[in-house]
Amino acid sequence: MTRVAILISGRGSNMEALADDIEANHHSTICLVVANKPCTGIDSAAARGIPTKIVNRSNFDTREDHDHAMCAILADAEPDYIFMAGYMAIVGAAFIDRFTARILNIHPSLLPAYKGLDTHERALADGAKQHGVSVHIVSEQLDDGPIILQAALTINPEDTATTLATRVLALEHILYPLVLSSLAHGDLELSHSGVKWHNREAALSRLGHKARLQIETALIWP
């Protein structure tokens, strides 16, 4: 069974979405949830019986020292993949090299547009017509690396940053579990050479009817 570790910094709603999908479909196991500070997401994971660990960034003098501690804890957990789910920290080259092509991130924009923070506000300020969410392999550059899958939505005239964030988050909660399920079932392969989808239809077939209706036409395949 595919083993996944999840990194969080806040309430962990994407972690919850992953855990819900795993509980319903039994394709993976969450071997560890790690936070870089105390947060409600850790409490939620612990309440589910998932192993948790806080590696508080404030206890380390440098990012490199913190990364080293994170790597050691993750290596002990032996994950096949590491899913960043609202992990609000930049990891260094040594961390990425230790788990090459096995660290994924979910970002609330259609990358390469709007890397970094405040993506919804920036999209609205630019008068963008479309917005969305991207799942990608983590690289040394911020919100960069090969795109695994994206989902787009049309920005409505009445959208605010708050309503747009809510709409994008709903896509995130379908997209990230879809990617994990696809990895677990062999429909998706990640490697040093990039991203390869072997069977898109099989991946989509495992979505619930409502989720598939909501996201299928929104998907942007690499």
Side-chain angles (χ1 to χ4, degrees):
M1 184 172 286
T2 298
R3 293 170 61 84
V4 59
I6 303 175
L7 309 188
I8 63 173
S9 295
R11 61 194 175 98
S13 71
N14 273 304
M15 178 272 294
E16 295 270 19
L18 290 165
D20 286 344
D21 192 63
I22 288 169
E23 288 177 7
N25 298 299
H26 311 290
H27 52 69
S28 305
T29 184
I30 301 175
C31 58
L32 185 64
V33 173
V34 189
N36 61 347
K37 61 181 181 179
C39 59
T40 56
I42 282 289
D43 298 331
S44 299
R48 290 175 177 265
I50 299 169
T52 62
K53 187 76 174 180
I54 298 173
V55 186
N56 199 323
R57 174 64 179 86
S58 65
N59 294 336
F60 296 85
D61 292 333
T62 67
R63 184 183 73 183
E64 289 75 18
D65 289 342
H66 183 256
D67 281 358
H68 181 76
M70 290 284 289
C71 281
I73 288 167
L74 288 165
D76 285 344
E78 299 183 328
D80 296 300
Y81 300 99
I82 298 168
F83 276 50
M84 293 182 169
Y87 185 67
M88 303 303 289
I90 298 172
V91 296
F95 188 112
I96 294 167
D97 289 345
R98 176 65 179 79
F99 304 101
T100 301
R102 294 163 55 199
I103 310 172
L104 289 72
N105 184 49
I106 189 163
H107 182 74
S109 80
L110 295 176
L111 293 171
Y114 308 119
K115 298 178 180 181
L117 301 175
D118 303 321
T119 63
H120 313 306
E121 291 85 351
R122 290 156 61 198
L124 290 170
D126 285 349
K129 302 300 183 184
Q130 277 199 321
H131 195 42
V133 56
S134 304
V135 178
H136 65 96
I137 298 173
V138 173
S139 70
E140 292 183 42
Q141 286 72 45
L142 176 66
D143 296 326
D144 200 32
I147 298 295
I148 297 170
L149 192 58
Q150 295 176 302
L153 54 75
T154 299
I155 297 177
N156 297 324
E158 66 273 16
D159 266 324
T160 64
T162 299
T163 62
L164 194 54
T166 299
R167 295 175 64 210
V168 169
L169 190 63
L171 293 179
E172 292 180 34
H173 290 170
I174 301 172
L175 199 69
Y176 226 11
L178 172 60
V179 167
L180 177 55
S181 173
S182 300
L183 287 167
H185 286 94
D187 300 321
L188 168 64
E189 180 183 351
L190 308 180
S191 68
H192 297 273
S193 57
V195 175
K196 185 173 183 179
W197 282 93
H198 295 292
N199 195 332
R200 298 178 183 180
E201 179 54 37
L204 291 173
S205 71
R206 284 185 289 274
L207 288 172
H209 179 68
K210 181 179 179 180
R212 183 164 182 169
L213 284 177
Q214 184 176 350
I215 204 166
E216 185 169 11
T217 58
L219 291 175
I220 303 171
W221 301 89

